[in-house]
Amino acid sequence: MNEKILIVDDEVSIVTLLNFNMEKAGFSTDVAYDGLEAIKKAENNSYDLIILDLMLPEMDGMEVCKHLRNNKIDTPILMLTAKDEEFDKVLGLELGADDYLTKPFSPKEVIARVKAILRRTNKVSKTQYSFIQIGDLFIYPERYEAEANGEVITFTRKEFELLHYLANNKGKVISRDQLLSGVWDYDFVGDTRIVDVHVSHLREKIEPNPKKTTYIKTIRGLGYKMEDLPS
């Protein structure tokens, strides 16, 4: 295992705990203790994943995540939060985090989440398809982009993974629980609002008219379906 992890937290005890257990699990690690240091390291180094605490000095985790995504740095992010409000979790995912974990946590759980994110990332990057066409929409898995009517559409990593999953199952009705399992790769304990938020974002980006959907249909009481439109 050669994956390199950036650990960002201002609590020395947390950094020490994560650093020890990540290296024990076979990862190489780097650390940052505030938001600005995290941004500098993420912009100047290549990491496979970032473990990012929400509450940081200089710049909090939400702002760090937003900055990285706005600057096209798509390194997967596992966000740590001591808060348990649904708003914080969903907002973090909306800003481009790939997953979240609420403190206190066990090192084994962190490692399991990290491996799940990397597993999903590798599945998409190693896909055998050069592109997937659905109607006027062209989806490019290796670029995490799509094109429609000659315009390039960009996504957060999780938005794209959701689009890719729906496209690979076009014509099939997929439940929210199936999407949680297939895209997030672990059980979100029934928090299906996360799926709805990401579907809403996808529609804003790919639908000619988000209020009258062409590509992603809601199947009431069941889930969502990517229409199998003729090319």
Side-chain angles (χ1 to χ4, degrees):
M1 189 181 298
N2 298 312
E3 289 94 340
K4 188 172 184 179
I5 311 295
L6 174 63
I7 300 169
V8 186
D9 200 304
D10 63 327
E11 295 184 52
V12 175
S13 60
I14 297 291
V15 171
T16 301
L17 177 70
L18 290 173
N19 196 51
F20 173 79
N21 283 278
M22 285 291 132
E23 291 186 347
K24 186 178 178 181
F27 298 100
S28 61
T29 61
D30 195 2
V31 301
Y33 292 94
D34 63 60
L36 293 179
E37 184 184 8
I39 286 175
K40 183 178 179 180
K41 288 196 171 185
E43 289 179 337
N44 292 285
N45 297 276
S46 179
Y47 299 106
D48 295 285
L49 184 138
I50 300 171
I51 298 176
L52 178 65
D53 187 41
L54 176 63
M55 302 303 293
L56 294 168
E58 304 296 338
M59 181 183 288
D60 68 31
M62 293 289 194
E63 288 299 317
V64 171
C65 183
K66 183 178 180 181
H67 177 91
L68 295 179
R69 296 306 187 236
N70 286 344
N71 286 274
K72 309 302 182 185
I73 297 174
D74 65 351
T75 307
I77 293 173
L78 171 61
M79 186 167 284
L80 304 179
T81 173
K83 299 180 180 180
D84 200 24
E85 293 85 6
E86 182 182 18
F87 173 77
D88 286 328
K89 298 173 184 177
V90 174
L91 179 59
L93 295 169
E94 286 179 334
L95 290 176
D98 294 80
D99 199 354
Y100 66 85
L101 191 58
T102 303
K103 296 179 179 179
F105 51 77
S106 72
K108 287 184 179 180
E109 187 174 12
V110 177
I111 291 169
R113 295 291 182 88
V114 167
K115 288 181 177 180
I117 295 171
L118 293 175
R119 185 164 58 245
R120 283 298 311 163
T121 303
N122 290 335
K123 282 182 182 178
V124 174
S125 64
K126 293 178 180 178
T127 181
Q128 62 180 322
Y129 303 105
S130 57
F131 69 87
I132 302 169
Q133 183 178 1
I134 300 176
D136 295 326
L137 183 68
F138 293 82
I139 302 166
Y140 299 95
E142 73 282 1
R143 288 160 36 191
Y144 281 79
E145 292 178 348
E147 289 183 7
N149 300 316
E151 294 187 5
V152 175
I153 308 167
T154 59
F155 308 89
T156 67
R157 181 179 295 274
K158 196 55 62 178
E159 286 171 357
F160 186 84
E161 289 176 1
L162 177 59
L163 175 63
H164 186 244
Y165 189 91
L166 288 168
N168 275 339
N169 290 278
K170 62 183 178 181
K172 300 177 182 178
V173 178
I174 309 295
S175 72
R176 290 172 174 83
D177 287 334
Q178 284 178 294
L179 290 170
L180 284 174
S181 176
V183 176
W184 280 264
D185 209 24
Y186 76 98
D187 186 5
F188 252 97
V189 196
D191 191 1
T192 55
R193 180 169 177 249
I194 293 164
V195 173
D196 296 334
V197 167
H198 281 74
V199 168
S200 177
H201 288 178
L202 281 181
R203 284 172 168 165
E204 290 174 3
K205 292 183 176 183
I206 69 172
E207 297 285 0
N209 181 357
K211 294 183 179 179
K212 188 177 181 181
T213 58
T214 300
Y215 295 106
I216 303 176
K217 298 291 187 181
T218 300
I219 309 301
R220 190 176 297 275
L222 295 174
Y224 295 102
K225 178 176 71 169
M226 175 72 82
E227 290 284 47
D228 190 7
L229 301 173
S231 301

